[in-house]
Amino acid sequence: MGSGQSICHSEAKLDGKTVIVTGSNTGIGKVTAKDLARRGARVIMACRDMTKAEAAASEIRNETGNENVVVEKLDLASLASVREFATKINQQEGQLDILINNAGIMYCPPWKTADGFEMQFGTNHLGHFLLTILLLDKIKASAPSRIVVVSSIAHESGRMYFDDLNLTNNYGPNRAYCQSKLANVLFANELARRLEGTDVIVSSLHPGVIETELQRNMAEGCGCVYTCCKCCFWCMVRSFGKNQWEGAQTTIYCAVDENIEKSGLYYSDCRPKRAARQARDEAAAKRLWDLSEEMVGLKKD
């Protein structure tokens, strides 16, 4: 389980700061939102399930004494929802100091997003890509600010299928998940490069092996091999796993630690770690950015 070195020890206060955490009604996103609320931030919980989100927000307000915890509807599997959310934030919020791209989906069947993209790539990468770009002016205007992208050690097994990003001809739940997590790191790296010279720090991270609701689609996604997948996952959790509080620590560290000065780094256990070779491919990062702009309708002629 987590060691003392794997815990965020920063006592930074966030009074007067505004934070968005996607997928924060459960799991490590909820733990993250609670920690940042306890530090005094205005926390915007961006969630798809509003009933669960309102219950989580009420719990966080009660436990932290911070009444400035609000819920906004965000479905990352719908570009229209992402645009609606971003428009509301840009119109209503005076600043945005920290954006945490935490939400995700894992090992689902070959589902499609509202816009026809493969669900894991569409939700884990494209939805957060569009969200970040639409909020970027607000984030830059609020500098010093931070963008935190929750990836996974699964990126090490990923590859980008640039000729078939939706895996139409070769879908597998694990293949799709690993590609989406590799896309997270590539996106964070390219975003950091494009933000050089600004006071915006971009970080990506592996939170650890944790049992959360992220695995809720494993039975349907893995089909007949579900039992094997579940057994392997439980072996990993028992051998190397973290509880949800421990799993949120690297996210919190990247969001608040005062000693972080360099952008574009990948973290694990609250310290920098060398990302996989394919995640450090600058040409692939640029290509993914260009293709992502086209896919979400941001490409300028």
Side-chain angles (χ1 to χ4, degrees):
M1 304 297 277
S3 67
Q5 290 181 318
S6 304
I7 294 172
C8 177
H9 294 285
S10 171
E11 297 180 359
K13 299 300 182 184
L14 297 177
D15 300 276
K17 305 291 186 182
T18 298
V19 179
I20 291 175
V21 186
T22 68
S24 46
N25 63 317
T26 188
I28 65 173
K30 180 179 173 183
V31 175
T32 300
K34 186 179 296 184
D35 181 279
L36 302 182
R38 189 170 282 119
R39 294 171 187 268
R42 169 174 170 77
V43 178
I44 300 171
M45 301 172 64
C47 303
R48 179 176 57 85
D49 188 326
M50 294 296 283
T51 301
K52 285 185 178 180
E54 291 290 358
S58 178
E59 176 187 320
I60 291 172
R61 286 191 289 265
N62 290 336
E63 289 192 18
T64 66
N66 184 346
E67 293 298 319
N68 209 358
V69 177
V70 298
V71 172
E72 296 290 353
K73 173 78 172 181
L74 174 63
D75 181 357
L76 288 158
S78 164
L79 298 183
S81 176
V82 174
R83 291 181 183 278
E84 183 178 352
F85 173 85
T87 297
K88 189 171 186 180
I89 295 299
N90 283 325
Q91 290 177 347
Q92 297 184 0
E93 299 297 327
Q95 65 192 75
L96 178 53
D97 303 277
I98 304 171
L99 170 63
I100 300 178
N101 292 337
N102 166 81
I105 186 169
M106 178 183 185
Y107 289 177
C108 64
W111 294 338
K112 301 293 184 183
T113 69
D115 304 279
F117 304 122
E118 186 278 311
M119 182 63 78
Q120 297 185 76
F121 184 76
T123 301
N124 298 349
H125 170 63
L126 288 177
H128 280 128
F129 175 87
L130 179 60
L131 175 68
T132 304
I133 301 307
L134 294 178
L135 295 177
L136 203 51
D137 286 343
K138 181 78 67 177
I139 295 169
K140 289 192 289 187
S142 306
S145 47
R146 297 192 182 186
I147 299 170
V148 180
V149 180
V150 179
S151 179
S152 167
I153 197 172
H155 86 274
E156 296 181 1
S157 301
R159 59 166 286 194
M160 298 307 305
Y161 295 86
F162 282 119
D163 294 329
D164 185 19
L165 286 172
N166 289 308
L167 299 178
T168 304
N169 302 314
N170 194 26
Y171 183 80
N174 182 65
R175 181 180 296 114
Y177 181 68
C178 292
Q179 174 179 246
S180 74
K181 295 290 98 179
L182 175 57
N184 288 157
V185 183
L186 290 169
F187 167 53
N189 291 348
E190 178 64 11
L191 180 60
R193 187 189 70 80
R194 290 172 181 250
L195 289 174
E196 286 178 2
T198 70
D199 203 1
V200 181
I201 295 176
V202 184
S203 305
S204 60
L205 65 97
H206 168 54
V209 179
I210 316 150
E211 189 192 20
T212 69
E213 288 190 16
L214 192 61
Q215 294 92 36
R216 62 186 174 274
N217 300 304
M218 191 179 286
E220 191 173 354
C222 295
C224 62
V225 298
Y226 166 67
T227 301
C228 179
C229 289
K230 189 69 173 178
C231 287
C232 289
F233 178 78
W234 267 109
C235 286
M236 290 178 65
V237 170
R238 287 173 178 172
S239 299
F240 312 107
K242 300 178 179 181
N243 61 40
Q244 293 181 11
W245 183 85
E246 291 168 333
Q249 293 303 302
T250 303
T251 301
I252 296 165
Y253 174 85
C254 290
V256 307
D257 193 271
E258 306 92 332
N259 295 317
I260 295 180
E261 297 180 349
K262 189 172 182 180
S263 189
L265 297 183
Y266 173 77
Y267 291 83
S268 180
D269 290 329
C270 296
R271 51 183 174 267
K273 180 182 178 182
R274 189 172 176 85
R277 176 187 54 78
Q278 64 269 35
R280 294 179 275 113
D281 186 333
E282 293 184 5
K286 293 175 183 177
R287 185 178 183 187
L288 176 62
W289 185 286
D290 290 340
L291 288 171
S292 298
E293 282 188 326
E294 291 180 9
M295 295 174 84
V296 303
L298 287 176
K299 195 72 173 179
K300 296 180 177 62
D301 297 329

